Amino acid sequence: ALGEKYPEKKKTFLQYVREFLNKAIFKDMVVYEYVHTLLLEYLQACEQAELVDLVSTLAKCAPALYKSAAGVESLVTCLSYANATERKHIVKSLKGLVVDMCSHGNAYMALIRTLDVVDDTVLVNKVVCSE
């Protein structure tokens, strides 16, 4: 919304948001819902190259993202733009959380997206389907 109101400041604003998100990821603040919301807004506003760059950083934070609607939508976006290696890291990080994700109000969408985009069927069977 801010980028639409002040398009000339969008790039600078996104740069500041990205710096904050990097600090939040580094300091393990990704568990907070306001970070999920800010992350989702950033992913929707940034360029594809920036999005792909951020996905590699977010792969280790995937377990923290399934607890809010904005976090799940961010996780789904990350799964969509991640390369095969990053997807494997995301799937491995979700091990042990699948049952909880299935019963969560929104997190099942991330599991459906995982089944859709991950090519490694052995890993998916081991992590997702075995639980």
Side-chain angles (χ1 to χ4, degrees), residues 29-69:
M29 293 173 48
V30 185
V31 297
Y32 299 112
E33 194 169 335
Y34 74 91
V35 177
H36 298 181
T37 304
L38 187 62
L39 174 64
L40 179 60
E41 293 291 328
Y42 178 79
L43 292 175
Q44 291 173 343
C46 71
E47 301 293 325
Q48 186 172 350
E50 296 165 338
L51 192 149
V52 170
D53 183 44
L54 185 62
V55 166
S56 62
T57 309
L58 283 173
K60 66 176 184 155
C61 303
L65 293 175
Y66 83 91
K67 298 187 179 189
S68 72

Side-chain angles (χ1 to χ4, degrees), residues 75-96:
L75 184 56
V76 168
T77 303
C78 289
L79 284 165
S80 299
Y81 286 94
N83 62 35
T85 307
E86 292 162 346
R87 288 182 189 138
K88 286 181 183 180
H89 287 282
I90 292 171
V91 171
K92 287 178 183 178
S93 71
L94 297 177
K95 188 173 186 170

Side-chain angles (χ1 to χ4, degrees), residues 3-130:
E4 294 170 3
K5 191 172 182 181
Y6 301 105
E8 69 279 357
K9 295 183 180 186
K10 179 179 178 180
K11 187 174 181 176
T12 306
F13 178 72
L14 288 175
Q15 181 180 356
Y16 286 123
V17 172
R18 174 64 189 260
E19 289 174 13
F20 174 80
L21 288 171
N22 284 337
K23 288 177 186 177
I25 292 167
F26 180 72
K27 294 181 179 183
D28 293 326
M29 293 173 48
V30 185
V31 297
Y32 299 112
E33 194 169 335
Y34 74 91
V35 177
H36 298 181
T37 304
L38 187 62
L39 174 64
L40 179 60
E41 293 291 328
Y42 178 79
L43 292 175
Q44 291 173 343
C46 71
E47 301 293 325
Q48 186 172 350
E50 296 165 338
L51 192 149
V52 170
D53 183 44
L54 185 62
V55 166
S56 62
T57 309
L58 283 173
K60 66 176 184 155
C61 303
L65 293 175
Y66 83 91
K67 298 187 179 189
S68 72
V72 169
E73 196 169 338
S74 299
L75 184 56
V76 168
T77 303
C78 289
L79 284 165
S80 299
Y81 286 94
N83 62 35
T85 307
E86 292 162 346
R87 288 182 189 138
K88 286 181 183 180
H89 287 282
I90 292 171
V91 171
K92 287 178 183 178
S93 71
L94 297 177
K95 188 173 186 170
L97 300 172
V98 175
V99 174
D100 191 31
M101 290 177 75
C102 286
S103 61
H104 192 273
N106 297 307
Y108 69 91
M109 293 187 304
L111 290 175
I112 291 171
R113 189 66 182 158
T114 300
L115 294 172
D116 184 36
V117 298
V118 177
D119 296 333
D120 189 349
T121 55
V122 174
L123 178 64
V124 171
N125 282 332
K126 188 186 294 183
V127 174
V128 178
C129 297
S130 67

